[in-house]
Amino acid sequence: MTEKIISELRACAPNFKNLIISSIALEKKSLVRVRLVTDISFTAADKVQAEKILKKYVPDYFGLEVEISKLAPDEEMIKKKIYSAIDTYSKAVFATLDESDISVKKLDGAFEYTIKILKEIAPVDLCDRLNKYLKSNFCGEFYGKIVDSSIDIESIEVEEYHDEPEFEMPVRTFKIEDFSFLEGEKLLSHATYLSDLNIAKDEVIVCGTIEDIRERSYVNQKKVEKKYYIFTLNDNTAVAQITYFPRLKTIEKIQNLQVGDSIVCTGLNEEFKGNLRYTAKLIDFGKIPEGFKPEKRQSKPVPRYYKTVKPVQYTDMQQTDLFANTAVPECLKKQTFVVFDLETTGLNSSPITGNMDKIIEIGAFKIENGVICECFSTFINPQRKLSDEIINLTGITEDMVKDAPTYEKVMPDFFKFCQGSVLVGHNIVGFDYKFVDYYCANLGYILERKLIDTIPLSQELLFLSNYKLNTVAEKFNITFNHHRATDDALTTAKIFIELIKLKKSLPKFQ
């Protein structure tokens, strides 16, 4: 079907002879947006012809918006695209390659390129894959050939690399009940879950009950003080803060809104100072369906391979003595546990305020058959300045995290490490889980909520003056370097084993 549409578009105007479809997207639930790219200047009449052709393929109940841009690539642009694409397609080839090994020649409506590499390690379909990739980005035809290189294959070091399957996170919505207009003019039928507001998007409709209203003010560029509002909204999937800048003609209606009212917001979810912020453009009335039960969010598949942080085997000779006196309870043998601890830039574990703190270190240990057997440990670059308070508390400095991977690279590996395990931590429910759940979900990875918190477990089984980690550790004669994630996680793992020995059964998951 796509090839047929492209053929018709190219035939409708001489200026579209090399045209490509850059993207097709469904927006606003009823608008199809098509982006076209051509390498020749085009007229308004050309665009009208393109719209007529595309309209034939769009159902009548959808609107159509066509964007056409002119992009005429040069040889250097094509060369850089080929070089970066080979890094994705074949690490072995890329290890032997320099950008100077690629030459590109421009022809009439086409490009011809030559790559000098070792033929014996080049995938047989490399040029076919590159041609397809280039045609999806640029207009015209592409022809490639491989020229054998004389490089010594024994001198090559290739990083292990594996492709992961593509996955598009489905957006969950519910039907809006009792919709009525307050500001808008468009009937709205469905709203996105507040818990799914983890990606930037131009237009998102949300619905929920107002739990709090706060009036704020700011001074605009003309030095005039203006009011705006922050609504705390709950839709039974999450609680989120909605920023709203009122308009003069509707400000009185907005001022009449009260806590307990149910509203529908049309707005955008955008990145602001490193965090996502939802800003409402229009507010109407509407309710969550009666008896609404959120559907379970689908997770990205578990990564097949560790890419950034690989667990290492852990052996503690003290475990031999630890288990010599008391047999490991059967309940510990029937489950796999991941005990983890975090260090963060602060204590804000909720995105509601719009200033969620960042993880700067993860330490985790896996327990199998009652034995601590594997360690996952890494710093994370928070991409923000560390406060003096956090530096003094944790001993983690700017230099220690500046070259560390970001959470986008770490959390897929941590998700894989946790797969199929019960998660354990000291204050895991109130703190640590909120962070890993949020940052995993941002990337589409949904952790299974099976949690054991060693604080209430300690309170149930021990009689202590307090139940801080160092106090409980002292009870079991465990010494450690407090306020470092890996040390705290290992200590918590040892405490957890001892507590289960006392209890002789697992507590209920939280």
Side-chain angles (χ1 to χ4, degrees):
M1 176 67 78
T2 304
E3 292 299 323
K4 181 182 177 184
I5 297 173
I6 291 175
S7 296
E8 289 188 40
L9 289 169
R10 288 177 175 174
C12 78
N15 297 328
F16 290 161
K17 66 178 183 178
N18 293 320
L19 176 143
I20 63 170
I21 297 177
S22 174
S23 66
I24 301 174
L26 178 61
E27 300 180 1
K28 304 179 184 178
K29 303 293 184 184
S30 59
L31 175 67
V32 176
R33 188 187 300 276
V34 183
R35 291 184 171 88
L36 307 175
V37 176
T38 180
D39 58 349
I40 304 174
S41 297
F42 58 93
T43 66
D46 293 337
K47 184 177 180 181
V48 170
Q49 290 299 317
E51 289 172 341
K52 286 181 180 179
I53 291 170
L54 291 167
K55 189 63 180 174
K56 295 189 303 182
Y57 296 95
V58 176
D60 293 337
Y61 49 85
F62 284 112
L64 172 66
E65 190 169 301
V66 180
E67 296 179 4
I68 308 177
S69 57
K70 177 178 175 291
L71 175 62
D74 56 22
E75 292 90 336
E76 192 63 26
M77 193 181 299
I78 298 298
K79 179 190 289 190
K80 290 186 179 298
K81 277 289 184 182
I82 292 172
Y83 187 67
S84 63
I86 291 175
D87 185 22
T88 300
Y89 294 148
S90 175
K91 289 290 183 182
V93 171
F94 190 74
T96 74
L97 191 68
D98 186 83
E99 201 168 322
S100 61
D101 295 324
I102 305 169
S103 60
V104 180
K105 182 180 179 181
K106 189 172 184 179
L107 307 174
D108 183 21
F111 288 88
E112 182 180 86
Y113 61 88
T114 302
I115 308 173
K116 186 185 293 185
I117 53 177
L118 281 168
K119 283 188 175 180
E120 59 188 285
I121 63 171
V124 293
D125 63 343
L126 180 61
C127 285
D128 291 337
R129 296 180 72 181
L130 288 172
N131 292 344
K132 184 177 179 180
Y133 172 72
L134 292 169
K135 289 178 72 173
S136 69
N137 286 273
F138 303 112
C139 301
E141 295 298 320
F142 298 88
Y143 307 97
K145 63 180 179 179
I146 304 297
V147 175
D148 202 14
S149 171
S150 58
I151 191 169
D152 179 11
I153 195 170
E154 298 297 330
S155 65
I156 300 171
E157 294 184 8
V158 182
E159 178 186 354
E160 185 179 3
Y161 182 84
H162 304 279
D163 288 326
E164 294 291 347
E166 291 185 4
F167 178 83
E168 186 173 343
M169 176 63 67
V171 176
R172 297 175 296 172
T173 63
F174 59 79
K175 189 175 181 180
I176 300 169
E177 291 190 348
D178 299 335
F179 178 85
S180 60
F181 294 110
L182 191 157
E183 286 189 297
E185 299 176 349
K186 181 180 177 182
L187 184 65
L188 304 175
S189 60
H190 288 78
T192 298
Y193 286 20
L194 288 175
S195 59
D196 287 0
L197 291 181
N198 54 11
I199 59 171
K201 195 172 181 182
D202 288 342
E203 182 166 296
V204 186
I205 298 165
V206 297
C207 172
T209 303
I210 299 174
E211 292 192 341
D212 186 49
I213 304 174
R214 299 185 185 185
E215 186 178 290
R216 295 284 188 266
S217 63
Y218 68 100
V219 178
N220 65 13
Q221 293 180 342
K222 296 181 180 180
K223 308 300 182 183
V224 177
E225 186 175 6
K226 295 283 188 179
K227 292 181 180 179
Y228 71 98
Y229 296 89
I230 297 175
F231 295 93
T232 300
L233 215 60
N234 189 337
D235 71 347
N236 294 343
T237 73
V239 178
Q241 284 194 339
I242 308 298
T243 304
Y244 175 76
F245 298 89
R247 296 175 294 172
L248 283 176
K249 66 178 183 179
T250 56
I251 188 169
E252 290 186 8
K253 295 180 181 179
I254 299 302
Q255 288 174 333
N256 289 329
L257 291 173
Q258 300 177 0
V259 172
D261 288 343
S262 292
I263 59 173
V264 179
C265 301
T266 303
L268 69 158
N269 207 37
E270 59 184 343
E271 189 167 323
F272 179 74
K273 294 183 178 179
N275 292 280
L276 285 173
R277 181 183 71 175
Y278 184 92
T279 303
K281 296 178 180 177
L282 299 170
I283 295 179
D284 294 301
F285 291 112
K287 296 180 179 179
I288 305 163
E290 189 174 347
F292 168 59
K293 292 183 179 179
E295 62 180 276
K296 187 175 180 180
R297 189 174 181 184
Q298 186 179 350
S299 175
K300 272 186 178 181
V302 180
R304 289 181 292 183
Y305 308 97
Y306 290 106
K307 287 188 176 179
T308 303
V309 183
K310 297 180 180 179
V312 297
Q313 294 299 309
Y314 174 79
T315 303
D316 185 355
M317 296 307 296
Q318 291 182 356
Q319 290 188 88
T320 305
D321 297 331
L322 196 65
F323 297 123
N325 299 327
T326 307
V328 176
E330 285 299 315
C331 60
L332 281 179
K333 296 179 180 179
K334 294 177 181 179
Q335 296 269 12
T336 299
F337 305 87
V338 167
V339 187
F340 72 95
D341 187 84
L342 309 176
E343 300 302 336
T344 62
T345 57
L347 300 178
N348 185 8
S349 60
S350 171
I352 295 174
T353 63
N355 192 27
M356 177 89 171
D357 275 303
K358 301 292 185 76
I359 303 171
I360 56 176
E361 185 183 22
I362 293 181
F365 288 84
K366 186 168 289 185
I367 300 174
E368 292 181 342
N369 294 317
V371 176
I372 305 170
C373 61
E374 223 173 354
C375 174
F376 182 102
S377 177
T378 183
F379 288 119
I380 298 178
N381 185 347
Q383 298 180 300
R384 67 169 64 166
K385 186 175 175 61
L386 300 182
S387 68
D388 291 339
E389 181 183 2
I390 292 301
I391 292 172
N392 293 332
L393 177 68
T394 65
I396 298 173
T397 65
E398 297 277 356
D399 286 341
M400 295 165 74
V401 298
K402 69 178 182 180
D403 295 323
T406 60
Y407 88 88
E408 291 91 344
K409 293 183 178 294
V410 172
M411 299 317 288
D413 289 337
F414 184 67
F415 182 74
K416 178 175 175 61
F417 185 71
C418 293
Q419 183 62 23
S421 302
V422 177
L423 302 182
V424 181
H426 206 70
N427 195 25
I428 186 176
V429 174
F431 188 77
D432 301 87
Y433 179 76
K434 292 180 179 180
F435 279 95
V436 296
D437 180 54
Y438 176 79
Y439 286 111
C440 279
N442 268 2
L443 304 176
Y445 297 103
I446 309 304
L447 287 162
E448 186 176 2
R449 189 183 170 95
K450 287 185 177 180
L451 310 179
I452 295 177
D453 198 319
T454 53
I455 289 183
L457 191 56
S458 299
Q459 292 169 335
E460 175 190 345
L461 299 170
L462 306 174
F463 298 96
L464 303 172
S465 59
N466 64 69
Y467 295 90
K468 296 178 181 178
L469 184 62
N470 56 333
T471 304
V472 181
E474 187 177 347
K475 169 68 177 178
F476 293 112
N477 297 316
I478 300 170
T479 58
F480 68 111
N481 179 22
H482 197 15
H483 294 305
R484 285 301 304 273
T486 303
D487 293 302
D488 285 3
L490 179 58
T491 298
T492 304
K494 293 178 178 180
I495 287 172
F496 171 65
I497 292 171
E498 292 300 297
L499 289 172
I500 298 304
K501 285 181 182 179
L502 292 174
K503 186 175 176 63
K504 296 181 172 57
S505 63
L506 294 178
K508 288 184 178 179
F509 300 143
Q510 294 182 302

